[in-house]
Amino acid sequence: GAGVSQSPRYKVTKRGQDVALRCDPISGHVSLYWYRQALGQGPEFLTYFNYEAQQDKSGLPNDRFSAERPEGSISTLTIQRTEQRDSAMYRCASSPARGDVTEAFFGQGTRLTVV
Amino acid sequence: QQPVQSPQAVILREGEDAVINCSSSKALYSVHWYRQKHGEAPVFLMILLKGGEQKGHEKISASFNEKKQQSSLYLTASQLSYSGTYFCGTGRRQNSGNTPLVFGKGTRLSVIA
């Protein structure tokens, strides 16, 4: 696609429900990152992949959060048993090569609200 | 380790200059600068990859002092379109070869006519 696509754009869910957030990176991009961004704050790292391999998941807040990228393209961030504190903007970014030496392209994000 | 940005916010009149600083307590390999407008995704401005490197982008340029573990973003003759929040993202080496960027809290820049 032309850019990084995330879906849904908005998600309202009840506390205790599971949610799955999808990221479709730019075609051919090697690295894919998940960030969480609170209002007025910078993106907070969650996890990233090179191809289908999850390289670092140290930013995931707890074991209710998980991510996968099974075929090295589309990625899904899953939050189980959602809590109100999970409410935030979740952003995905992709880069054509190693993330620390190339530009990262961000998606429009998924605004998650847990009620 | 989250980099520290300063100032937190700045208001400029069109045509004025500004400097945004980004510093880290850890040794840096790369510094990335992004600008985010309200309600939009962060947009890449530039990457600095080695100490002493300076880069320019129209009237926006940046420097990277590896020894001091800091970077500065320079905006000259500011335009209304420069308004937004500026984030620096810092990268460090890992065994896997690349690191996820750690972003600062941002500097909110407002340019007024």
Side-chain angles (χ1 to χ4, degrees):
Chain A
V4 177
S5 178
Q6 291 187 245
S7 60
R9 289 289 308 277
Y10 303 91
K11 177 70 177 178
V12 180
T13 189
K14 290 185 177 180
R15 188 177 55 183
Q17 297 293 307
D18 298 350
V19 294
L21 311 182
R22 174 186 165 120
C23 173
D24 195 347
I26 294 172
S27 178
H29 276 198
V30 169
S31 297
L32 184 148
Y33 298 80
W34 282 100
Y35 286 87
R36 180 168 67 176
Q37 188 172 21
L39 200 62
Q41 299 292 315
E44 173 195 8
F45 168 74
L46 296 176
T47 185
Y48 85 96
F49 297 82
N50 283 343
Y51 301 102
E52 73 282 357
Q54 190 170 23
Q55 298 291 335
D56 186 338
K57 55 181 181 179
S58 63
L60 296 177
N62 50 61
D63 59 8
R64 295 186 295 107
F65 287 72
S66 63
E68 61 175 10
R69 193 187 184 196
E71 297 179 0
S73 179
I74 293 170
S75 176
T76 302
L77 176 71
T78 300
I79 308 173
Q80 295 179 313
R81 306 180 302 282
T82 52
E83 301 177 5
Q84 286 188 325
R85 59 178 171 158
D86 299 334
S87 297
M89 175 71 81
Y90 289 83
R91 291 198 187 275
C92 171
S94 69
S95 63
R98 283 169 40 200
D100 64 338
V101 295
T102 59
E103 173 183 358
F105 296 80
F106 280 85
Q108 291 300 312
T110 294
R111 169 74 65 187
L112 175 66
T113 302
V114 182
V115 297
Chain B
Q1 199 77 10
Q2 186 176 39
V4 177
Q5 289 187 234
S6 63
Q8 289 185 329
V10 59
I11 299 175
L12 298 175
R13 290 195 179 276
E14 268 186 297
E16 290 182 339
D17 303 339
V19 180
I20 299 172
N21 299 304
C22 173
S23 63
S24 173
S25 60
K26 300 278 188 179
L28 299 177
Y29 178 74
S30 65
V31 179
H32 300 223
W33 286 96
Y34 285 78
R35 177 172 61 204
Q36 184 175 27
K37 293 187 178 288
H38 183 69
E40 299 180 6
V43 174
F44 171 81
L45 293 176
M46 65 190 76
I47 297 174
L48 300 104
L49 290 177
K50 55 187 177 181
E53 185 173 24
Q54 292 191 338
K55 282 200 171 179
H57 177 73
E58 296 179 345
K59 294 179 181 176
I60 301 174
S61 61
S63 64
F64 179 18
N65 187 321
E66 190 177 351
K67 188 174 181 181
K68 292 184 178 180
Q69 297 169 183
Q70 65 185 35
S71 175
S72 295
L73 185 72
Y74 307 95
L75 300 102
T76 57
S78 59
Q79 305 169 13
L80 293 174
S81 61
Y82 288 2
S83 294
T85 301
Y86 290 78
F87 295 103
C88 70
T90 55
R92 294 185 297 113
R93 282 291 189 176
Q94 277 183 350
N95 291 335
S96 64
N98 63 330
T99 68
L101 293 180
V102 179
F103 286 92
K105 291 186 176 181
T107 296
R108 174 172 274 184
L109 177 74
S110 300
V111 181
I112 57 176

